[in-house]
Amino acid sequence: MYLLSFVLCPSIWSILVKVDPALQTPMYFFLSNFSFLEICYVTATIPRMLVDLYTLKGSISVLACATQMCFVLLLGGTECLLLTVMAYDRYVAICKPLQYSLFMNYNVCVQLVTASWISGIPVDVGQTYQIFSLHFCGSNRINHFFCDIPPLLKLACGDIFVNKLAVYVGAVVFCMVPFLLIIFSYGKIISNILRLSSAKGRAKAFSTCSSHLTVVVLFYGTASVTYLQSKPSQSEGMGKLLSLFYTILIPALNPIIYTLRNKDIMMALRNFQTKLLM
């Protein structure tokens, strides 16, 4: 019971990486940042949704809506970049093991994580400003669980071609380009793994990548359909369902996906549980 509660709590997951010496490697450094990102991601949407469900009002100011959308975009872009960094880490570990400590030293890891967090800030702030500079007429009701670009554009009046183009460009830069880099990294990884003579070595290498691949497929699959959809008339129900997946369900599942298939994390969880109960 205690073990399951730790698995389900991303904040405990992050603390484990900080306090357990066995987890202080580049891979777990990236995973701790990823876990913290997921905490921020769900915090940007769930509290407001719970307040709306409790009060049954569902109203939000323009400033609060813009702030929420900006954070969702920023955190989503950061997740795309961080997943790419994690794929690169696996690529170096499997394809260039003798140079791993050189390529992935502490300073490089910090620089990669910092770049993932801050590179999207000017773009996302600019895109949020552009969206909320539009003229909105008619209904002021957003048919969505939170403030997101597609439902807001449906309320805008006049020509929004430039805004749609900006959304597509942003999605390509922060979603599709990182995704292609991940595919390239895993192409190299799989090619290298298949050349291993030991079946046990191949199984271990695939095991270290399977969790990351699962997260990539889940996140990119739903986010890409939402922001790269070709038809603006996509059903609103489907759009809301996909948004729930990549902003709430997937961030909640990610710590479980990474934990249950990782022996080091499971051992650290047991040790942490033992210390708490002593």
Side-chain angles (χ1 to χ4, degrees), residues 18-268:
K18 296 290 185 183
V19 301
D20 196 304
L23 302 182
Q24 296 186 8
T25 63
M27 182 178 76
Y28 293 112
F29 173 72
F30 294 134
L31 284 174
S32 65
N33 276 273
F34 187 73
S35 182
F36 175 72
L37 172 67
E38 301 295 46
I39 296 172
C40 297
Y41 212 160
V42 297
T43 302
T45 55
I46 289 183
R48 184 76 205 191
M49 291 169 60
L50 293 177
V51 169
D52 291 340
L53 289 173
Y54 178 75
T55 61
L56 299 178
K57 292 181 178 180
S59 60
I60 186 171
S61 68
V62 173
L63 179 60
C65 185
T67 302
Q68 185 185 61
M69 191 180 82
C70 186
F71 273 104
V72 170
L73 292 177
L74 175 61
L75 295 169
T78 301
E79 180 156 354
C80 291
L81 297 176
L82 200 52
L83 286 171
T84 308
V85 169
M86 293 163 70
Y88 174 70
D89 172 69
R90 292 298 84 208
Y91 162 75
V92 176
I94 294 174
C95 299
K96 301 180 184 295
L98 298 179
Q99 299 171 297
Y100 183 73
S101 59
L102 175 64
F103 286 175
M104 302 304 295
N105 60 65
Y106 180 75
N107 289 334
V108 171
C109 293
V110 171
Q111 290 169 4
L112 289 172
V113 168
T114 302
S116 299
W117 277 96
I118 68 174
S119 58
I121 292 177
V123 176
D124 295 325
V125 171
Q127 194 163 78
T128 302
Y129 175 79
Q130 184 186 45
I131 294 294
F132 282 87
S133 296
L134 293 171
H135 177 62
F136 296 95
C137 58
S139 173
N140 62 350
R141 293 183 176 272
I142 304 173
N143 188 12
H144 212 279
F145 298 110
F146 61 93
C147 293
D148 201 7
I149 292 178
L152 280 169
L153 286 180
K154 291 181 180 180
L155 302 181
C157 300
D159 186 10
I160 57 173
F161 173 78
V162 174
N163 303 91
K164 288 184 177 180
L165 181 62
V167 173
Y168 277 103
V169 171
V172 167
V173 172
F174 287 96
C175 187
M176 294 308 297
V177 171
F179 180 69
L180 292 175
L181 292 175
I182 292 173
I183 294 298
F184 176 79
S185 297
Y186 273 103
K188 293 287 188 179
I189 289 171
I190 293 172
S191 176
N192 190 275
I193 290 175
L194 293 177
R195 289 200 295 266
L196 295 175
S197 58
S198 169
K200 184 177 181 181
R202 289 196 298 270
K204 183 178 180 180
F206 274 120
S207 178
T208 62
C209 300
S210 59
S211 298
H212 183 256
L213 276 174
T214 302
V215 171
V216 167
V217 170
L218 289 173
F219 177 77
Y220 273 97
T222 54
S224 297
V225 171
T226 300
Y227 290 101
L228 294 176
Q229 55 185 324
S230 59
K231 295 181 180 180
S233 59
Q234 180 194 45
S235 80
E236 294 179 342
M238 180 59 69
K240 290 192 287 186
L241 180 61
L242 291 173
S243 297
L244 281 178
F245 263 92
Y246 72 80
T247 59
I248 298 176
L249 182 60
I250 293 175
L253 288 176
N254 285 346
I256 303 175
I257 294 171
Y258 275 111
T259 301
L260 295 181
R261 293 184 58 84
N262 191 303
K263 294 180 180 179
D264 293 335
I265 290 292
M266 296 300 289
M267 181 62 68

